[in-house]
């Protein structure tokens, strides 16, 4: 059975994609900790990050690094937060978002009912920032 993320990657469930490659994609979460909170997900269904091949893990982290750097710039944040939790969905994913303090690392504070228009605006803003940073070949039209 496919994971929720595989279903999103395959287009069976809508996703607000900001990055698409054959082996790794990124899309906004529906439970953001901050504006622009993105999930970086390998196409391969890997349950635990410790089970990922070094190549898959390196690719996921490189995409997360690029997205995080752009988030810092476009959201004027001092840092990009990054968490690999792995309990919500049994498919490796990295959370990356613009962070202002350690208080931003609290999943209990996530917005579980975000305004779809705000999510869409954040996806557009992040896509534009990624294109401006030179990553246009990986950014979907959206």
């Amino acid at each position: 059975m496919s994971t929720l993320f595989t279903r999103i990657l395959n287009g069976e469930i809508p996703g607000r994609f900001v990055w698409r490659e054959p082996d790794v994609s990124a899309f906004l979460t529906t439970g953001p900790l901050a504006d622009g909170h993105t999930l970086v997900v390998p196409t391969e269904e890997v349950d635990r990050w410790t089970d990922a091949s070094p190549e898959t893990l390196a690719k996921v982290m490189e995409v997360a690094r690029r997205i995080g750097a752009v988030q810092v710039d476009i959201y004027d944040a001092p840092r990009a937060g990054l968490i690999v939790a792995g309990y919500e969905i049994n498919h490796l994913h990295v959370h990356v978002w613009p962070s202002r303090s350690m208080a931003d690392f609290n999943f209990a504070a996530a917005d579980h009912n975000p305004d779809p228009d705000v999510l869409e605006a954040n996806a557009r803003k992040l896509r534009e920032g990624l294109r401006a940073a030179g990553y246009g070949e990986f950014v979907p039209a959206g």
Side-chain angles (χ1 to χ4, degrees), residues 116-135:
D117 292 336
V118 171
L119 289 175
E120 202 55 51
N122 282 317
R124 278 193 306 274
K125 184 175 184 174
L126 191 47
R127 285 186 207 107
E128 289 169 9
L130 288 164
R131 285 186 192 104
Y135 303 123

Side-chain angles (χ1 to χ4, degrees), residues 2-13:
S2 294
T3 70
L4 174 66
F5 291 154
T6 299
R7 294 176 65 209
I8 292 170
L9 294 171
N10 291 339
E12 298 167 27
I13 297 173

